[in-house]
Amino acid sequence: MIENRHTQVYDSAKRAPRPIEELRQVFRYRYLIAQLLRRDVMTRYKRSVLGIAWTMINPLGTMLVLSIAFSQVFKFVEGYSAFVLSGLMAWNFFSQASTAAIINLVWGGGLLKRVYIPRTAFALAAIGTGLVNLGFSLIPLVVVLLINRIPIGWAFLFLPVPVLLMAMFSLGVGLLISSFAIYYPDVAEMYQIILTAWMYLTPVIYPAEVMPEFARNLVQILNPMYWMVELFRAPIYLGQIPGWSAIWPSLLVCTLTLVIGWWVFCTRSDEMAYRI
Amino acid sequence: MRYRAPTERFATFKEYMIRLVQGRVRHAEFMAVNHISLDIYPGEVFGVIGQNGAGKSTLLKVAARVLPPTEGRVVIKGWTAALLELGAGFHPELTGRENIFLNGAILGFTQKEMAALFDQVVDFSELGEFIEAPMRTYSSGMWTRLGFAVATVQRPDILLIDEVLGVGDEAFQKKSFRRIQEFSEKGTTILFVSHSMDAVATMCQRAAWLDHGVLKFLGEPKDVINAYRASFQNGN
């Protein structure tokens, strides 16, 4: 490894297009991304007493509050706490991972001006951190399912599919917004407001059936998170594996978002170093 | 190397949009490093001098791959290490040990490589048992010492130095200076930016004087320094 570093040649004129070059560099710096991920996971809770347990307590607490507030309203939803927790896990993953991708980059901006590292490294590490946290929150989920007597079946094995789709989508959105947030920090603030509105337009705390027909149709078309929350929830709450017809629109949207986000971010990333 | 700098700095997107609508966004472009053609030979120590804002640091950043050139071309053959700002990648909440691995990864080392070099880094930084303490408890001297130790853990083919020799106490300065000299003796090419004429005169084989992004003089360190000093006396 150390030997082949010495044959390294950098020629600024002979570079592949930025988005492709970036992929190559990400692979070369995969250890850095692993280290950044470790740092994110470890520093987040390092100075707290309960430590990593917070990744589990956090969704549980929200679930508890929402269950108390809404279980009477949505009386017809059986096992509301399991319903809401599965939705929250999906939503929190998306909102936290995409936000962290933006925040990390703004934080890392100073670093990018001093040393060379692939500029997507921070966003990738943020998504990885989100995946780790999601993994931890599966533990309280199982407990809640058991309490609600919802069987845990083979359908659980389908979960990696919606998780992967959400990871792609979060990365795409995170990079796209980062392309702007790097110049104007308040874009990150605006994104928080958008996220709040976005959550209420996604069937996280209410079942999709309560939406009026026209609104539901509209949301289905415009809100990719609608499908992803449903895809994530179905195997957990209903014990069903969604059909291909429910998967392909999400696959298409997520792939597109990721490609566009990656492309925009990478082509603008050179300018980032000049202007941060 | 062209910088694109707004004539005013907009702190927020809102403000930017307002100005944009008012048609008041102007960008002043300036060349921090302009039409410089330089060959630096393998194994030499090359000094760069010039006033503040002459483009010295920009030149280093272009060489360090931090800034891709807007025009022109940079070719670098070999593994490059940069002593630009030491310890920039450290995280205060992590211990020294964890930061060594994190910073090692930033420099392109794998976990395994860093594990093999770990003791050597700790030795050189003289941190001893503090290596297990979070970095927020470190003094600034300890911080830079560790930064230097990590950045120079392996002899690079090319070393970029931006005025960082003045780190730590005198003993550590000497020690870091010795390490750099050792690298040089073993064949490392050094690109060295400094305000210290003495350092440039004693260390470098060749030097360049930059002024407002333009190469003014290239040659023996002595001649370059004389030319640079003469420019002051002419009231320039």
Side-chain angles (χ1 to χ4, degrees):
Chain A
M1 240 353 216
I2 296 177
E3 278 70 41
N4 79 49
R5 225 175 249 134
H6 290 281
T7 54
Q8 199 170 301
V9 175
Y10 162 64
D11 184 343
S12 66
K14 274 192 207 143
R15 288 197 310 173
R18 289 294 294 130
I20 295 176
E21 174 71 18
E22 185 73 17
L23 275 178
R24 203 177 291 160
Q25 294 298 339
V26 162
F27 180 72
R28 187 182 270 170
Y29 278 83
R30 56 196 182 280
Y31 297 101
L32 169 66
I33 295 165
Q35 286 293 330
L36 287 174
L37 199 161
R38 255 174 67 104
R39 186 204 64 189
D40 284 354
V41 172
M42 290 178 73
T43 53
R44 185 161 168 211
Y45 298 111
K46 199 149 198 193
R47 287 174 90 174
S48 63
V49 187
L50 293 171
I52 202 85
W54 277 114
T55 46
M56 296 176 242
I57 297 167
N58 206 333
L60 266 185
T62 320
M63 176 209 77
L64 212 63
V65 172
L66 289 172
S67 299
I68 293 165
F70 292 113
S71 60
Q72 286 307 304
V73 181
F74 301 117
K75 232 186 246 167
F76 57 92
V77 180
E78 248 177 89
Y80 180 74
S81 53
F83 173 88
V84 97
L85 183 61
S86 53
L88 267 180
M89 278 169 63
W91 178 262
N92 282 350
F93 169 74
F94 164 68
S95 70
Q96 286 173 5
S98 57
T99 304
I102 299 163
I103 302 288
N104 276 3
L105 192 75
V106 175
W107 171 85
L111 194 58
L112 289 177
K113 285 208 298 194
R114 296 183 188 116
V115 277
Y116 173 79
I117 45 178
R119 302 200 164 101
T120 51
F122 293 108
L124 285 167
I127 305 297
T129 308
L131 288 174
V132 171
N133 288 340
L134 185 67
F136 277 116
S137 61
L138 282 175
I139 298 166
L141 176 74
V142 168
V143 174
V144 169
L145 287 178
L146 289 175
I147 292 169
N148 281 292
R149 289 167 209 268
I150 292 173
I152 298 164
W154 288 108
F156 252 66
L157 296 178
F158 175 76
L159 279 182
V161 175
V163 169
L164 182 72
L165 288 174
M166 288 193 298
M168 288 163 64
F169 187 66
S170 309
L171 182 59
V173 171
L175 287 176
L176 209 55
I177 300 199
S178 296
S179 314
F180 299 97
I182 199 104
Y183 305 122
Y184 315 105
D186 58 339
V187 169
E189 301 295 327
M190 269 184 236
Y191 182 61
Q192 291 308 308
I193 301 169
I194 292 169
L195 271 180
T196 311
W198 197 342
M199 181 176 131
Y200 287 109
L201 290 173
T202 310
V204 175
I205 55 176
Y206 56 83
E209 297 86 62
V210 304
M211 291 174 120
E213 188 69 27
F214 76 95
R216 199 174 154 192
N217 289 337
L218 206 64
V219 164
Q220 279 181 343
I221 296 167
L222 295 176
N223 182 1
M225 279 310 288
Y226 175 98
W227 293 102
M228 274 175 269
V229 168
E230 298 281 280
L231 280 180
F232 184 81
R233 186 182 270 148
I236 296 170
Y237 179 69
L238 301 171
Q240 287 172 357
I241 294 179
W244 177 241
S245 62
I247 299 170
W248 75 261
S250 296
L251 184 63
L252 190 73
V253 169
C254 295
T255 312
L256 259 165
T257 312
L258 179 57
V259 169
I260 293 172
W262 188 274
W263 204 269
V264 170
F265 183 81
C266 291
T267 44
R268 295 187 63 161
S269 68
D270 275 354
E271 207 174 320
M272 255 167 228
Y274 312 141
R275 300 227 313 202
I276 286 168
Chain B
M1 178 67 240
R2 174 186 288 140
Y3 275 111
R4 186 171 144 90
T7 43
E8 300 166 76
R9 203 181 148 76
F10 301 109
T12 66
F13 183 66
K14 193 178 83 185
E15 197 182 336
Y16 180 79
M17 287 313 285
I18 293 169
R19 295 297 173 88
L20 193 67
V21 171
Q22 292 172 338
R24 277 166 58 188
V25 179
R26 282 186 208 95
H27 287 282
E29 294 195 336
F30 77 96
M31 306 289 272
V33 175
N34 194 355
H35 283 101
I36 289 184
S37 185
L38 268 181
D39 284 313
I40 295 166
Y41 309 118
E44 83 174 329
V45 182
F46 192 96
V48 181
I49 57 173
Q51 282 168 296
N52 286 329
K56 306 185 297 291
S57 299
T58 305
L59 189 69
L60 280 193
K61 282 180 179 176
V62 171
R65 292 204 291 167
V66 176
L67 298 173
T70 41
E71 282 163 35
R73 185 175 178 190
V74 194
V75 182
I76 293 155
K77 291 178 183 159
W79 179 46
T80 310
L83 299 177
L84 296 184
E85 269 169 84
L86 293 172
F90 288 145
H91 193 288
E93 285 303 325
L94 294 173
T95 65
R97 173 189 291 276
E98 289 157 349
N99 268 310
I100 289 176
F101 283 98
L102 176 62
N103 236 35
I106 288 175
L107 299 174
F109 289 99
T110 67
Q111 177 114 19
K112 226 189 251 162
E113 289 166 345
M114 271 332 270
L117 297 167
F118 182 80
D119 289 337
Q120 192 200 321
V121 173
V122 180
D123 266 3
F124 193 86
S125 65
E126 300 166 17
L127 283 169
E129 62 209 46
F130 284 108
I131 207 72
E132 307 296 347
M135 294 262 314
R136 71 188 140 85
T137 62
Y138 285 23
S139 71
S140 62
M142 290 158 89
W143 193 286
T144 43
R145 251 154 50 201
L146 190 59
F148 185 91
V150 176
T152 60
V153 67
Q154 276 266 305
R155 186 181 73 79
D157 299 319
I158 299 155
L159 185 64
L160 310 170
I161 308 174
D162 191 0
E163 203 83 66
V164 282
L165 293 177
V167 294
D169 54 26
E170 212 180 326
F172 192 78
Q173 270 181 42
K174 277 196 184 135
K175 194 161 119 181
S176 45
F177 188 74
R178 232 179 299 137
R179 175 168 270 195
I180 290 168
Q181 232 159 15
E182 215 179 278
F183 284 170
S184 172
E185 280 156 20
K186 287 184 182 158
T188 297
T189 311
I190 296 178
L191 182 57
F192 176 52
V193 159
S194 183
H195 285 291
S196 158
M197 297 302 139
D198 288 343
V200 172
T202 52
M203 281 179 70
C204 301
Q205 277 118 48
R206 284 196 306 152
W209 164 31
L210 296 190
D211 187 43
H212 293 97
V214 183
L215 181 64
K216 279 266 177 151
F217 204 102
L218 173 72
E220 294 273 318
K222 228 174 36 212
D223 303 335
V224 176
I225 292 167
N226 286 339
Y228 176 57
R229 287 200 169 130
S231 73
F232 294 127
Q233 275 143 25
N234 298 340
N236 184 9

